[in-house]
Amino acid sequence: MKRFAALVAAIDETTRTSEKVEAMVAYFKDAQPADAAWAVHFLSGERPKRLIPVRRLAGWATEASDVPEWLFEQCYEAVGDLAETISLLLPEPATPEERALHVWIEEYLLPLGEMEEHEQRAAILAAWRSLAGFERFVWNKLITGGFRVGVSQPLVIRALSRVSGLSEGVIAHRLTGNWAPHADSWTTLVAEQTADTDVSRPYPFYLAYALEEELETLGEPQEWQVEWKWDGIRAQLVRRADRCYLWSRGEELVTERFPEIATAARLLPDGTVIDGEIMPWKEGKPLAFSQLQRRIGRKALGTKILEEVPVVLIAYDLLEIAGEDVRERPLAWRRARLAELLATPGVSRTLMLSPAVAAAAWDAVRAAWRRAREECAEGLMLKRLDASYGVGRRRGGWWKWKVQPYAVDAVMIYAQAGHGRRASLNTDYTFAVWDGGTLVPFAKAYSGLTDAEIRELDAWIRRNTVEKFGPVRSVKPEQVFELAFEGIQPSPRHKSGVAVRFPRIARWRTDKKPEDADTLETLRTLLHAADTEGDSRE
Amino acid sequence: MFDREEAYISWVLLNVTDRGLHCEAGDFYIDPWLPVPRAVITHAHGDHARWGCDSYLGAREGERVMRTRLGAGATIRFVDYGEAIDQQGVRISLHPAGHILGSAQVRVEYQGEVWVVSGDYKTEPDATCTPFELVRCHTFITESTFGLPIYRWTPEAIALDELRAWWRANADAGRTSVLFAYSLGKAQRVLAGLRDAAIGPIYTHGAIERLNRDYRDSGVAIADTIYAGTMPRGHDYAGGLVLAPPSAGGSLWLRRFGAISTGFASGWMRIRGARRRRSIDRGFVLSDHADWPSLLATIDATGAERVWVTHGYREPVVRWLVEHGVEAEAVASRWEGEGEAELQDLGVAGEEIVA
Ligand SMILES: [Zn+2]
Ligand SMILES: [Zn+2]
């Protein structure tokens, strides 16, 4: 645990990616395989789910550090992070004990979920007594489910590549799918040759950056393939060893959820991997995303829902053919092979080649972009015809160009302290629109303001807090913000009756008064428009 | 006959006015925040020693830094620690506070009633100033900059070891180490601790170099330093340590040092978020103030019947004391802890104050 905590500290203490990679390489070089496996797991952003309610933990910590409850609260407010508050308040252990990371996880952390409250208490207090300083902080982060390390997956892959001498592509591929943190998985991960027995394993998805420059900066339109950016579920279809596997981008196996796709995939030859988008599609036209969500929400897939919301896989790319990894080949080549494959009789109704948008001139592309919402698309994708299929988010080969999101003016009514770097600032806000004379909350947003704006707003919030419940403050309904979001759908679970997708703050409208904010009616109109976009295609 | 006024004065020997903490019986102020005729100064930090008073009283140990801070024209009388002077029947003496060079607690005695104003203080001894001396009193006016139990210091030696290791690692990687430290007190404490760390040259920002000279002239042994302003353009600083005030963070001034790693020596660095918000690579927990356990221990040891609490975390300290049977009260002041006042004092970020 000491070494892992030191690694976390080293990553925490630098903003230079080279140093983060260096620290990981140093760690992995001589970590025990079982520890290394857990470290890969956590560094990749996986975290154990919260095993103990935070309140309970705070109670035990208050007791163990011998401070009154009000003082614990004061300390928490100053620190802004529960795990850290606890580790700062507890007395330093008289006899710290060193145990390996995997021992802490497998023998101490995971069993907590099965324990009764009094057993948990005893186990946690014992752990606190044997962990010192930063290790105690890391442990607290792990048990509260709040463990986050400042490295991205590509950096972890880079470090693993350096440790193993394997290419980043091979590491990334070996890490996708059902990678489990065991000593054996670590050994296989860095082994020079492995009989890659996991036939289900997908490739890492290639992700696009948002286009921010003018189209003209991309060169000639003839060098690019333009496609619709569909608003469905990005997925990878793996057909190997006479079986098919459908993976979502979250690397969840979703084959069972989409039997239509699995059925069609059986017609493909073995050793085929296709990247595409799962889309609700009926009578030759896409349906709105909310329809797909209706289907995802079901526990069992009845014939009714299968009939109402059939799905297709819109095939974007071909990653493997005849068992060969073809990601390094140019897109033009891959797409030609993909088109041939999908021409197999009976396939193309469910596995559709993603249509190319005519792009003879950039103006035509602009015109298509303006039409995107009518096509039930979120915008356009631009892909270089000579580009290989990358790993993760990379600049240059692919760009996404989304249509303007929806926007409304809303009033901030609640604020809450953020996490990590912004722990002592109020950075999480709840927004409301008018419904008659009352403000109805409809969205939470965390991002979109500059650091300076956040500080200014934080000071305002502190001066204008009406009430506090735990970390949440209700504030005077005075500040108006333009909120942008990507989609809208009905939601019985929300007071407002609508749920918006990916809300963010577009602008702080200091020029507007709260009474100028939008109404629930505006949201309903947007909702209706979103619905008919889908309906009109039925 | 019962003299109402006398009774009042002996009950509150000092009281807070809009100009600062005032002693009516002796007609003087302690660390006033507005100009007054007679000011007793605990130490030279900007929030405690302000310009514009007609006369000042301070501890002799801090003579040089106080002159630098208050200007050559200021009328200052310096006394030794423990030396008593009489001001209209009020006995005033200064006692070491262990905070920075020349820092003092002010002991005020009138008709048998003793009040002590702590100013800023630290009980852990260090090499740059006379260690804190406990003074028994009836009323103790204490600071509370780090008045929460999350603030507990480790010994100074640990922070200094970490600092050396960080500097060494940066030097090995061909980088310059830039350490932010308050220019009066903290910087010199670091320099005293690095006297025999032969890792590389130590460069300083002008604001710090000026005070280094005062410390050396006062007989405090600190490491040799080079004023960065005297180095030729294009000088290679790799492997060196640059000491700069926190206000130089993110400034153009830092550009000349090439590839840098940044550190900050401060009690605030005990909290991870405090470091991350400033985008500092490394935090070194090194404070010139008392931590929670030593605040409470000191308050207890003074034997004071009444405690007034100033600075940062007044409310929690007061509540804790009251819950433990001590008569305590929060007192508003314009004094600050390890922080903002020091920054304001330095003027424009990165501007060089030539020695
Ligand atoms: Zn001070
Ligand atoms: Zn102060």
Side-chain angles (χ1 to χ4, degrees):
Chain A
M1 188 67 151
K2 200 171 244 158
R3 292 204 53 226
F4 181 66
L7 169 64
V8 174
I11 291 171
D12 192 53
E13 278 162 2
T14 179
T15 48
R16 284 180 211 91
T17 52
S18 60
E19 282 173 25
K20 292 182 190 223
V21 171
E22 204 108 348
M24 287 189 278
V25 169
Y27 176 83
F28 286 126
K29 264 198 177 132
D30 45 32
Q32 292 181 46
D35 284 354
W38 279 108
V40 169
H41 183 75
F42 295 137
L43 293 171
S44 306
E46 297 290 328
R47 27 187 156 147
K49 55 172 181 297
R50 180 180 293 165
L51 295 161
I52 297 172
V54 169
R55 280 290 112 202
R56 208 181 277 175
L57 213 55
W60 299 336
T62 309
E63 216 179 294
S65 44
D66 199 20
V67 294
E69 217 176 295
W70 64 264
L71 191 51
F72 184 91
E73 287 300 324
Q74 290 254 347
C75 291
Y76 180 27
E77 187 156 327
V79 177
D81 179 296
L82 185 77
E84 189 179 355
T85 309
I86 293 174
S87 55
L88 291 176
L89 274 177
L90 290 168
E92 284 296 311
T95 48
E97 273 175 63
E98 173 57 12
R99 297 189 188 105
L101 174 65
H102 76 276
V103 175
W104 272 114
I105 302 300
E106 291 163 15
E107 292 173 28
Y108 293 85
L109 188 143
L110 297 177
L112 288 171
E114 308 290 307
M115 288 182 190
E116 298 288 330
E117 185 177 333
H118 70 276
E119 294 170 310
Q120 286 187 336
R121 178 176 176 277
I124 294 292
L125 291 177
W128 283 341
R129 276 194 301 272
S130 52
L131 288 163
F134 201 71
E135 289 157 71
R136 187 154 68 190
F137 168 70
V138 170
W139 164 259
N140 287 344
K141 278 286 178 197
L142 288 169
I143 55 176
T144 52
F147 189 72
R148 254 180 268 194
V149 192
V151 286
S152 59
Q153 179 83 8
L155 287 191
V156 179
I157 290 170
R158 194 181 307 167
L160 291 170
S161 158
R162 288 218 350 232
V163 170
S164 63
L166 298 164
S167 79
E168 290 180 26
V170 168
I171 294 287
H173 186 203
R174 286 182 182 178
L175 271 178
T176 43
N178 285 322
W179 198 85
H182 295 308
D184 292 348
S185 341
W186 165 259
T187 315
T188 319
L189 177 66
V190 292
E192 203 169 319
Q193 286 295 329
T194 50
D196 274 329
T197 47
D198 187 355
V199 293
S200 74
R201 187 176 288 147
Y203 292 95
F205 284 88
Y206 185 18
L207 305 174
Y209 269 99
L211 181 70
E212 279 154 4
E213 308 285 320
E214 283 299 316
L215 286 171
E216 279 70 15
T217 60
L218 298 178
E220 292 303 314
Q222 286 71 29
E223 294 164 7
W224 294 83
Q225 163 153 314
V226 182
E227 295 168 52
W228 298 112
K229 183 174 187 326
W230 298 105
D231 187 14
I233 299 171
R234 182 88 181 272
Q236 212 175 109
L237 178 63
V238 177
R239 168 89 177 128
R240 289 189 197 120
D242 209 26
R243 316 256 314 253
C244 3
Y245 308 89
L246 188 62
W247 293 92
S248 75
R249 218 194 93 194
E251 283 167 20
E252 237 180 297
L253 206 47
V254 294
T255 327
E256 319 274 275
R257 315 293 308 157
F258 304 102
E260 306 96 312
I261 296 174
T263 308
R266 285 200 188 92
L267 302 170
L268 294 174
D270 246 357
T272 305
V273 178
I274 292 170
D275 172 18
E277 189 102 8
I278 302 168
M279 279 290 288
W281 201 275
K282 199 171 182 183
E283 288 154 18
K285 309 273 179 171
L287 305 177
F289 185 76
S290 54
Q291 297 292 315
L292 187 57
Q293 282 201 315
R294 265 179 70 208
R295 184 169 157 167
I296 301 166
R298 301 284 159 115
K299 281 237 162 59
L301 288 171
T303 31
K304 185 158 175 283
I305 190 82
L306 286 176
E307 236 163 63
E308 279 175 16
V309 191
V311 298
V312 299
L313 182 77
I314 300 188
Y316 291 138
D317 215 322
L318 182 68
L319 313 188
E320 184 176 308
I321 185 168
E324 189 198 338
D325 175 356
V326 292
R327 290 177 296 162
E328 289 301 316
R329 304 255 194 171
L331 171 63
W333 185 92
R334 299 196 308 271
R335 188 167 161 96
R337 299 292 88 70
L338 179 63
E340 286 164 18
L341 265 179
L342 299 181
T344 314
V347 166
S348 66
R349 274 175 50 115
T350 315
L351 308 180
M352 298 170 37
L353 184 66
S354 163
V357 175
W362 289 127
D363 276 339
V365 176
R366 269 186 277 268
W369 176 77
R370 282 191 287 271
R371 259 193 3 256
R373 202 155 263 152
E374 292 161 38
E375 300 282 342
C376 234
E378 294 184 280
L380 295 175
M381 290 295 301
L382 296 113
K383 302 174 178 174
R384 270 199 89 86
L385 283 162
D386 61 3
S388 57
Y389 186 92
V391 169
R393 207 175 289 282
R394 291 284 157 97
R395 253 172 221 289
W398 284 14
W399 296 102
K400 61 180 174 196
W401 188 24
K402 289 206 194 181
V403 291
Q404 299 298 353
Y406 298 93
V408 293
D409 290 331
V411 184
M412 178 174 71
I413 55 169
Y414 301 123
Q416 194 177 342
H419 296 281
R421 189 169 72 89
R422 290 171 169 172
S424 66
L425 294 170
N426 291 289
T427 57
D428 300 2
Y429 318 109
T430 302
F431 297 94
V433 287
W434 292 104
D435 183 23
T438 53
L439 282 165
V440 185
F442 78 103
K444 269 187 134 183
Y446 312 93
S447 62
L449 294 178
T450 65
D451 280 359
E453 284 173 327
I454 288 171
R455 279 195 296 275
E456 190 185 340
L457 188 54
D458 178 73
W460 183 89
I461 289 165
R462 285 171 199 277
R463 286 195 310 272
N464 293 280
T465 299
V466 178
E467 253 185 297
K468 277 176 83 170
F469 358 87
V472 182
R473 295 158 182 264
S474 73
V475 296
K476 291 187 189 152
E478 286 175 6
Q479 300 297 338
V480 180
F481 295 83
E482 182 182 322
L483 282 200
F485 44 93
E486 302 293 336
I488 181 165
Q489 58 190 84
S491 164
R493 278 182 303 146
H494 291 78
K495 219 182 189 174
S496 60
V498 297
V500 296
R501 299 179 69 209
F502 305 127
R504 60 185 181 277
I505 300 166
R507 259 188 308 163
W508 187 353
R509 297 298 303 254
T510 45
D511 55 325
K512 292 210 169 186
K513 295 215 156 56
E515 48 274 28
D516 303 332
D518 281 309
T519 61
L520 198 51
E521 205 39 52
T522 322
L523 286 179
R524 292 203 187 107
T525 315
L526 291 175
L527 182 64
H528 186 69
D531 247 12
T532 43
E533 270 178 33
D535 292 345
S536 64
R537 350 240 101 229
E538 285 191 43
Chain B
M1 215 184 76
F2 179 72
D3 185 339
R4 220 188 136 73
E5 202 173 322
E6 281 287 331
Y8 177 75
I9 289 171
S10 72
W11 190 76
V12 282
L13 197 43
L14 299 170
N15 60 65
V16 183
T17 70
D18 52 359
R19 299 181 157 209
L21 196 58
H22 184 228
C23 175
E24 211 174 307
D27 194 20
F28 61 89
Y29 289 80
I30 297 170
D31 293 351
W33 39 85
L34 289 174
V36 298
R38 262 184 302 281
V40 179
I41 301 298
T42 60
H43 66 292
H45 275 151
D47 53 328
H48 293 261
R50 303 214 182 217
W51 285 315
C53 296
D54 298 340
S55 72
Y56 296 92
L57 180 74
R60 179 156 290 128
E61 180 180 282
E63 177 166 358
R64 288 197 163 75
V65 288
M66 215 172 276
R67 285 221 183 277
T68 296
R69 284 302 176 100
L70 290 175
T75 307
I76 316 175
R77 175 175 173 191
F78 292 101
V79 289
D80 288 326
Y81 287 130
E83 178 186 344
I85 62 162
D86 180 90
Q87 174 69 29
Q88 297 178 20
V90 178
R91 193 183 146 96
I92 306 170
S93 55
L94 303 181
H95 304 266
H99 173 59
I100 60 167
L101 186 66
S103 64
Q105 307 172 74
V106 181
R107 182 183 184 279
V108 179
E109 183 182 344
Y110 184 62
Q111 297 183 346
E113 180 82 8
V114 179
W115 287 47
V116 169
V117 179
S118 77
D120 295 343
Y121 66 99
K122 168 174 70 46
T123 51
E124 186 194 16
D126 77 81
T128 61
C129 60
T130 306
F132 176 85
E133 176 195 316
L134 184 79
V135 185
R136 298 200 38 102
C137 55
H138 299 108
T139 300
F140 185 47
I141 303 182
T142 181
E143 65 137 322
S144 65
T145 304
F146 292 105
L148 280 178
I150 46 176
Y151 295 108
R152 281 178 301 177
W153 312 145
T154 42
E156 174 187 273
I158 292 182
L160 290 171
D161 283 347
E162 286 173 358
L163 223 156
R164 277 186 219 103
W166 165 72
W167 182 9
R168 165 94 51 209
N170 288 333
D172 290 347
R175 271 196 300 270
T176 311
S177 306
V178 175
L179 182 71
F180 298 113
Y182 293 118
S183 53
L184 170 53
K186 191 68 59 65
Q188 291 74 31
R189 203 172 144 199
V190 167
L191 287 170
L194 294 178
R195 247 176 319 163
D196 31 45
I199 298 170
I202 303 177
Y203 303 96
T204 52
H205 184 278
I208 290 174
E209 193 52 38
R210 178 77 179 84
L211 291 154
N212 285 350
R213 203 173 70 186
D214 290 336
Y215 266 64
R216 288 189 186 105
D217 291 349
S218 306
V220 179
I222 59 174
D224 291 336
T225 53
I226 306 164
Y227 170 42
T230 60
M231 300 314 291
R233 198 177 281 275
H235 174 73
D236 182 9
Y237 291 90
L241 174 72
V242 178
L243 268 183
S247 58
S251 70
L252 290 176
W253 184 78
L254 287 179
R255 288 219 182 139
R256 68 186 73 182
F257 302 114
I260 60 171
S261 175
T262 54
F264 191 5
S266 166
W268 301 116
M269 294 297 108
R270 172 92 168 143
I271 310 295
R272 194 164 156 259
R275 170 176 64 77
R276 293 169 65 91
R277 263 197 307 287
R278 292 174 174 84
S279 304
I280 302 265
D281 295 325
R282 283 294 298 272
F284 301 97
V285 184
L286 192 68
S287 175
D288 293 340
H289 293 263
D291 63 358
W292 172 262
S294 47
L295 272 177
L296 298 183
T298 305
I299 291 169
D300 186 54
T302 59
E305 298 151 4
R306 178 167 50 211
V307 179
W308 284 4
V309 186
T310 66
H311 288 77
Y313 287 107
R314 296 192 294 263
E315 276 74 22
V317 173
V318 166
R319 184 162 170 190
W320 174 279
L321 292 172
V322 169
E323 286 183 4
H324 286 75
V326 181
E327 185 191 331
E329 213 179 307
V331 175
S333 72
R334 299 209 194 148
W335 304 326
E336 286 154 6
E338 188 161 323
E340 308 312 318
E342 263 285 281
L343 297 180
Q344 289 158 10
D345 229 34
L346 294 164
V348 185
E351 192 187 325
E352 303 223 5
I353 299 159
V354 180

